[in-house]
Amino acid sequence: RNKQYKLNGYLDTGNKLYDQFKHRPVILISKKIPYKIEDVIYVSCSTINNVSLIKCIKPDKIVINNRQYDNYLIGFSPNKFRIDGIDCILHSCLKGDL
């Protein structure tokens, strides 16, 4: 695999999405990256208007500001983010680390 992607992130203190089984934080991305369908983990997501499932994958690692994180999921947002230049919405639990 050994794929790397460089994304611009935004720390959203409102992103408190965890997977229901292993309680891993979910970082949302709007950029299209390839993944194998058998690697998909579905996470239930509640919004003001409805409940839906988000397709997620478990990367080997995530590096943010030269610090490595291992137990996170990447969720694929079906919608483009409304913040110019932002590819991903970071999880609120990263607040103290950045």
Side-chain angles (χ1 to χ4, degrees):
R1 295 216 215 192
N2 292 326
K3 299 277 184 182
Q4 293 184 18
Y5 300 93
K6 188 172 184 173
L7 306 172
N8 291 317
Y10 175 79
L11 178 63
D12 182 357
T13 57
N15 178 6
K16 300 185 185 310
L17 183 59
Y18 289 91
D19 79 284
Q20 294 78 12
F21 301 106
K22 295 188 178 180
H23 202 66
R24 294 170 290 196
V26 178
I27 294 173
L28 298 168
I29 67 169
S30 63
K31 199 169 195 173
K32 301 230 187 280
I33 62 170
Y35 60 90
K36 293 180 182 176
I37 196 70
E38 62 267 10
D39 294 339
V40 172
I41 300 164
Y42 290 95
V43 174
S44 177
C45 175
S46 297
T47 64
I48 294 172
N49 298 332
N50 64 6
V51 175
S52 61
L53 293 175
I54 294 178
K55 289 181 185 178
C56 298
I57 58 169
K58 170 72 176 86
D60 294 330
K61 66 181 175 182
I62 296 170
V63 178
I64 302 171
N65 293 337
N66 297 318
R67 187 166 175 187
Q68 182 174 313
Y69 299 89
D70 298 320
N71 202 23
Y72 282 73
L73 294 179
I74 299 293
F76 298 101
S77 173
N79 304 317
K80 203 153 174 62
F81 302 135
R82 294 183 180 169
I83 304 169
D84 287 341
I86 296 301
D87 303 310
C88 67
I89 302 292
L90 302 174
H91 195 274
S92 63
C93 70
L94 292 166
K95 183 178 179 184
D97 291 349
L98 303 179

